[in-house]
Amino acid sequence: MLLLPPPSLQHFPANFSSNFSSKSPKQPPFRSCPQPLRAVNRRPSDDVDSFTKKSGYIFELASSEADSLIEYDIKRIAAICRRKPLILLRRLFQIGTTFGRWFGARYIDSLAEKSDQMFEIRAAELRKLLLELGPAYVKIAQAVSSRADLIPPSYLDELSLLQDRIAPFSSEVALNTIEQELGLPVDELFSEISPEPTAAASLGQVYQARLRHSGQLVAIKVQRPGVQAAIALDILILRFIAGIVKRAGKFNSDLQAVVDEWASSLFREMDYVKEANNGLKFRKLYGGIQDVLVPEMHMKLTTQKVLVMEWVEGQKLSEVKDIYLVEVGVYCSFNQLLEYGFYHADPHPGNLLRTSDGKLAYLDFGMMGEFRQELRDGFIEACLHLVNRDFDSLAKDFVTLGFLPPTADKEAVTKALTGVLQSAVAKGVRNISFGDLLGNLGTTMYKFKFQIPSYFSLVIRSLAVLEGIAISFDPNYKVLGSTYPWIARKVLTDSSPKLKSSLQALLYKEGVFRIDRLESLLSESLRARTERALVKQQIAQTSSKVAIKQVLSFTLTEKGAFVREILLQEVAKKI
């Protein structure tokens, strides 16, 4: 969620009470903090914002039903919805008619040969109907809104507006929620608070405030009323549709398991206590990386529906076109995915900011993923084998990662991979596109009954979004090309027995030592830099003499001990 204040909120005046008049006639004026804000017993539906009104998702739940939706449980969701068949039918009708109108209009455009003229208009209509359908569909749109290489520009521009430009709900309802959740009047907790939200998204909205006890500027995130019930209903429908599509299209992947994985992460995102704990862990693991900023969480002021964290001032990374910070993001993503296995699974442009002092700030830690050690090693091996065109080993990697069953015909898979991926890697690692790889693999995955493991859907999203942001201002950027130097360095220096075995297998082909592969790994590992000067300049290709010096200097270091052993063995053989 973007934490950007409008210009009028960047500095609070000394007399704060005069700024509590509403800019919108629909909202009543607020009182100043010196006069206590009393909780008002109002139902959220009494003052429904346009986003909630259009999506039509507010419906009454008993307190026990609402409490049961804290964790994702599809059986529990189905049981609740079965007791409300009219609501379920109404929602199915709303989804069908909404999309039906839009696709019908597109079909009429094609018949009238006006598709090109109506392209921008239909893109704006799609954004509006996604808003009408509510938070679940907005989250899906956000997932693809940073893929400049996959989404037409007109649609990209419209869908990007869904990142943080959604109609806010009533501030009076938000203040009531803060008081009810924290158990104290707002004025006892904060000396100043913005009269209107500084940003509004599908799950909640953000206010800028100042802590009374310390004077620190903070962001208060408040959850939308009824959002869990809304998403639960839509997930049940999406899961049902996924089952039909899988059977009708004979898909190999378990589409319902993919929906379950996404839904589980979405439900975790709606628990702000979990999000705050994720933020603490993320700050501990990655907050020390050069030019990475992770805001501080205020756990004592955080509940399931209210989160208080350090205020971060900045601009969207996608708007400032800072290639250095993209490289910092790639390095940080490498650490997340392949070093510690705890990664940010929702790095859309609204959650990545460039701060005023030039740092990359991560926000919104609700949707996180875990990448187990054996899968991390398998992913590294797959990247090594892909870059070195070892498609036989790559077929085995797909079994390790869960893409293929152990009974698959690996020889046939190897032959197919060679035909599909040979051209993709022919231009070198720096020109391999993550998006192109996925596209090229499509037919092969279907033919050999590839499965997309549910855990991998979030990994793909994490990498694809980062590449999408970079592509928006550098069409030639390749996230795998930027990540590979760190992979090469890890393989050369890691003490893991599995990676040592992988390195040894890579350097030998039919018993013959491949020093060219060692030179290539060392050359790539030297590109693994985050210093601003080195990132900004183009690093020239390493000459063979320099490469030999690099091999020798690396083997004399402690981290190069394993490579030194291999070289000494080869020297002994020659002697």
Side-chain angles (χ1 to χ4, degrees):
M1 183 175 290
L2 184 64
L3 306 185
L4 290 176
S8 61
L9 295 178
Q10 290 182 3
H11 300 286
F12 287 113
N15 182 6
F16 198 64
S17 61
S18 61
N19 270 6
F20 268 82
S21 59
S22 173
K23 296 180 180 179
S24 170
K26 296 181 180 179
Q27 295 181 351
F30 298 125
R31 289 167 285 173
S32 61
C33 278
Q35 183 178 354
L37 287 167
R38 302 298 181 190
V40 180
N41 294 322
R42 302 176 60 190
R43 284 167 35 173
S45 57
D46 290 340
D47 187 7
V48 180
D49 61 278
S50 59
F51 176 63
T52 303
K53 185 177 180 180
K54 286 182 179 179
S55 62
Y57 66 73
I58 291 294
F59 58 90
E60 295 296 326
L61 288 180
S63 58
S64 59
E65 291 176 327
D67 292 340
S68 70
L69 291 178
I70 295 174
E71 300 284 345
Y72 176 65
D73 186 333
I74 191 62
K75 292 182 180 178
R76 192 175 297 159
I77 293 171
I80 292 174
C81 290
R82 274 197 297 268
R83 294 195 292 270
K84 303 177 185 295
L86 292 179
I87 290 175
L88 184 60
L89 290 173
R90 183 190 70 181
R91 185 59 171 163
L92 283 168
F93 178 77
Q94 183 184 22
I95 293 170
T97 55
T98 301
F99 278 121
R101 289 196 309 269
W102 188 79
F103 281 110
R106 290 284 292 158
Y107 179 69
I108 293 172
D109 291 342
S110 65
L111 291 178
E113 298 183 352
K114 293 183 178 180
S115 296
D116 293 339
Q117 298 96 306
M118 299 296 291
F119 204 72
E120 293 185 6
I121 295 174
R122 299 303 179 216
E125 289 176 352
L126 178 62
R127 174 181 59 81
K128 292 175 182 177
L129 72 83
L130 289 172
L131 280 174
E132 290 179 11
L133 290 176
Y137 291 90
V138 170
K139 295 299 288 186
I140 293 172
Q142 287 176 350
V144 299
S145 64
S146 59
R147 294 299 300 179
D149 54 332
L150 302 178
I151 307 297
S154 297
Y155 283 79
L156 197 69
D157 292 341
E158 291 293 337
L159 294 182
S160 64
L161 297 178
L162 297 176
Q163 302 289 4
D164 49 36
R165 300 187 190 180
I166 295 175
F169 60 93
S170 164
S171 285
E172 186 174 351
V173 171
L175 292 175
N176 288 342
T177 301
I178 294 172
E179 293 188 337
Q180 291 166 8
E181 289 289 310
L182 300 182
L184 288 171
V186 173
D187 67 296
E188 291 187 20
L189 298 168
F190 309 103
S191 58
E192 301 169 343
I193 189 168
S194 56
E196 296 176 356
T198 60
S202 56
L203 301 185
Q205 60 195 37
V206 174
Y207 293 83
Q208 187 186 54
R210 194 178 298 278
L211 293 177
R212 183 169 288 282
H213 71 277
S214 66
Q216 183 187 13
L217 205 59
V218 295
I220 311 172
K221 186 156 73 167
V222 188
Q223 192 172 104
R224 283 184 180 272
V227 71
Q228 285 177 313
I231 287 178
L233 178 62
D234 283 338
I235 285 172
L236 183 67
I237 294 171
L238 287 170
R239 198 176 186 278
F240 174 72
I241 294 173
I244 294 176
V245 170
K246 184 181 185 302
R247 288 190 294 272
K250 298 181 181 180
F251 283 86
N252 303 314
S253 298
D254 188 346
L255 296 182
Q256 288 185 323
V258 173
V259 172
D260 286 338
E261 182 75 14
W262 174 71
S264 296
S265 65
L266 195 53
F267 266 72
R268 290 193 296 271
E269 188 177 0
M270 289 186 286
D271 187 339
Y272 288 170
V273 174
K274 289 181 180 178
E275 178 176 346
N277 283 319
N278 288 338
L280 290 176
K281 183 176 181 180
F282 197 90
R283 180 182 171 96
K284 180 181 179 182
L285 292 177
Y286 315 115
I289 294 176
Q290 180 181 342
D291 292 327
V292 169
L293 186 149
V294 183
E296 175 189 359
M297 302 289 158
H298 292 270
M299 296 301 298
K300 293 182 179 179
L301 297 175
T302 295
T303 69
Q304 186 188 341
K305 295 182 179 180
V306 173
L307 185 151
V308 178
M309 60 187 286
E310 174 189 356
W311 180 268
V312 177
E313 191 82 36
Q315 295 175 277
K316 286 184 182 181
L317 180 61
S318 58
E319 294 177 350
V320 294
K321 299 187 177 182
D322 190 333
I323 192 64
Y324 166 70
L325 285 188
V326 172
E327 293 286 353
V328 171
V330 168
Y331 173 64
C332 189
S333 293
F334 165 81
N335 275 270
Q336 293 171 46
L337 289 170
L338 304 180
E339 198 69 38
Y340 296 104
F342 181 70
Y343 63 96
H344 198 302
D346 191 25
H348 69 70
N351 292 336
L352 296 172
L353 301 185
R354 183 190 188 278
T355 64
S356 55
D357 56 352
K359 292 185 178 182
L360 176 65
Y362 281 82
L363 305 176
D364 201 337
F365 306 99
M367 191 177 289
M368 310 296 289
E370 296 277 357
F371 208 20
R372 299 195 312 272
Q373 182 65 54
E374 63 269 23
L375 296 175
R376 302 204 298 266
D377 290 345
F379 187 79
I380 290 174
E381 288 181 311
C383 290
L384 281 175
H385 296 147
L386 171 67
V387 170
N388 290 281
R389 308 179 199 183
D390 187 350
F391 299 115
D392 183 50
S393 297
L394 186 60
K396 298 175 183 176
D397 295 332
F398 285 143
V399 174
T400 301
L401 291 169
F403 288 92
L404 281 172
T407 56
D409 185 348
K410 297 181 185 61
E411 290 186 8
V413 173
T414 300
K415 184 177 180 181
L417 290 175
T418 302
V420 171
L421 299 178
Q422 187 75 34
S423 59
V425 299
K427 297 180 181 179
V429 63
R430 303 184 197 189
N431 296 301
I432 298 176
S433 167
F434 186 75
D436 289 347
L437 284 179
L438 295 177
N440 291 340
L441 278 172
T443 304
T444 304
M445 292 176 74
Y446 181 80
K447 179 179 179 181
F448 291 97
K449 301 186 184 304
F450 272 61
Q451 299 180 4
I452 301 296
S454 56
Y455 77 86
F456 207 68
S457 60
L458 294 180
V459 174
I460 291 174
R461 171 174 163 73
S462 180
L463 290 174
V465 166
L466 195 62
E467 185 174 75
I469 293 173
I471 286 173
S472 65
F473 55 87
D474 182 3
N476 297 318
Y477 187 85
K478 305 293 185 291
V479 72
L480 185 58
S482 292
T483 305
Y484 186 70
W486 300 104
I487 293 174
R489 173 169 289 192
K490 185 170 178 63
V491 171
L492 288 169
T493 61
D494 200 280
S495 59
S496 163
K498 185 173 177 64
L499 290 184
K500 282 185 176 181
S501 175
S502 298
L503 176 61
Q504 193 152 15
L506 181 70
L507 296 180
Y508 288 89
K509 185 175 183 179
E510 298 177 354
V512 178
F513 181 60
R514 298 287 302 272
I515 193 167
D516 58 320
R517 288 188 173 181
L518 179 58
E519 286 182 9
S520 176
L521 281 173
L522 283 166
S523 177
E524 286 297 327
S525 71
L526 289 172
R527 292 201 299 125
R529 298 285 187 270
T530 57
E531 288 83 359
R532 192 178 299 269
L534 288 178
V535 171
K536 283 187 175 180
Q537 67 186 17
Q538 292 291 329
I539 300 175
Q541 290 289 338
T542 308
S543 67
S544 59
K545 289 184 178 179
V546 175
I548 292 172
K549 289 181 181 179
Q550 291 167 353
V551 171
L552 293 175
S553 61
F554 174 75
T555 56
L556 295 176
T557 66
E558 183 180 351
K559 291 184 175 181
F562 183 64
V563 176
R564 183 166 65 245
E565 290 176 13
I566 294 176
L567 288 175
L568 288 174
Q569 290 174 7
E570 289 304 309
V571 171
K573 288 179 184 178
K574 297 296 182 183
I575 293 174

